[in-house]
Every structure is written in C-alpha cells, then in structure tokens.
Amino acid sequence: GLITLHTNSQMHRDIAPKNIFLQGEVSKPQEMAAKLGDFGVSRGFNSNEISKGIVSYLGTLITGHLNAQEQIVQLTADIWAVGIIIYLMLARCMPYERLDSNYIEKSSPKPLPSYVPEDVMNLVEGLLEKNPEKRLSCHSALKIIAPLMYIKQ
C-alpha cells in the first residue's frame, strides 16, 4: 500500500499501528494481508517537495524540528514510521526512551532483542536511518523483506 502511495506522489503522514488492518483468516497466516487505512491527513505532492503540516507523533520523529504543531516532513517520514512499528512488534517497546526530537537526534535506538535475525535488524536500521537521504525507500525495503516472508502481490 505504501509503495502505491509513494509511487503516486502521495504521503500518508499518519502511519501508526491503529491504521494498519489485517485481512484474512487468522488460521491461515500465510494468506493474511496488511492493509493501510485512514488517509485523513495524507497529501499529494511532487517528489522533491517538502510537506508542511500536522503529522502523527511517529512521523514527526524524523524531522528533528521542535515545533510539534507544524513539522516540516519529507516523504521518508512514512518510512521512518514503518521502522518504528516494526521495531515495536519485534521488541515490544519503543526504540527510544523519549519521543523528543532532540533526544532522538543525539541518541541511538535501543538494541533489538538477540532473537531478531540479522537481516531483520538491518532492515529496521535502514528504516530508522536518521538521515532521510540515506533512509531505505519502500522499494529497497521490499527487496529486503520479500525473501524473509511470503508477500501476497
């Protein structure tokens, strides 16, 4: 879903667990699909444009700006939020002690548990890259994820 949005010059701006919906039978996990919902604050823009507006706490973490009401947000904020969600699913806690951009800028995420495979750790690291220009794109992330799991096209 996120690849489709970004390919069509759309930014979700509110990627959070509450906006990811599972479809399918729990008894058949290989047939389940995750769907992205709640496009109330999504916005179209051209790929080099920076979006200004209110975003969720997950999206604002990437910006490094202090004003929580209006953030300057790049397309890669969606990618950052996906990294936060995957981290939460794996570690059952937030990667940072505080949701404060100054704190995050100066610190590193807590290490993932030792049971997390190295490939998955590298994926999360790429999604949570602080420099938006070095952060994984949706397409790059999918290339890493595809061999790790069944992906329904």
Side-chain angles (χ1 to χ4, degrees):
L2 192 56
I3 289 175
T4 301
L5 275 176
H6 288 187
T7 300
N8 290 299
S9 299
Q10 296 285 318
M11 185 173 168
H12 191 278
R13 300 188 338 154
D14 192 19
I15 293 178
K18 67 181 180 169
N19 293 329
I20 298 173
F21 303 94
L22 296 178
Q23 179 181 20
E25 296 291 325
V26 175
S27 61
K28 299 177 185 176
Q30 70 278 10
E31 295 179 15
M32 292 185 74
K35 304 284 184 173
L36 193 55
D38 189 358
F39 298 93
V41 295
S42 65
R43 178 174 185 267
F45 63 100
N46 93 38
S47 60
N48 295 322
E49 181 182 352
I50 293 178
S51 168
K52 189 170 185 180
I54 299 170
V55 294
S56 72
Y57 75 93
L58 292 176
T60 61
L61 293 178
I62 109 109
T63 64
H65 297 283
L66 298 176
N67 183 349
Q69 294 305 308
E70 282 205 337
Q71 296 290 331
I72 296 174
V73 183
Q74 296 175 321
L75 183 65
T76 56
D78 284 347
I79 305 296
W80 174 273
V82 170
I84 295 285
I85 292 168
I86 293 173
Y87 187 101
L88 278 166
M89 291 180 351
L90 295 169
R92 293 187 246 167
C93 66
M94 291 295 284
Y96 296 96
E97 293 295 325
R98 297 192 321 246
L99 294 178
D100 171 275
S101 59
N102 283 332
Y103 176 82
I104 290 168
E105 236 176 89
K106 295 174 186 169
S107 63
S108 297
K110 293 181 260 182
L112 282 164
S114 60
Y115 57 77
V116 176
E118 187 176 343
D119 290 348
V120 177
M121 285 186 186
N122 292 337
L123 169 68
V124 173
E125 184 179 299
L127 296 171
L128 294 180
E129 168 61 49
K130 291 179 188 177
N131 182 342
E133 293 175 11
K134 293 181 181 178
R135 191 167 303 137
L136 287 176
S137 68
C138 286
H139 291 286
S140 298
L142 186 58
K143 286 179 186 174
I144 296 169
I145 293 168
L148 301 175
M149 61 194 321
Y150 173 78
I151 296 183
K152 186 177 178 181
Q153 297 293 333

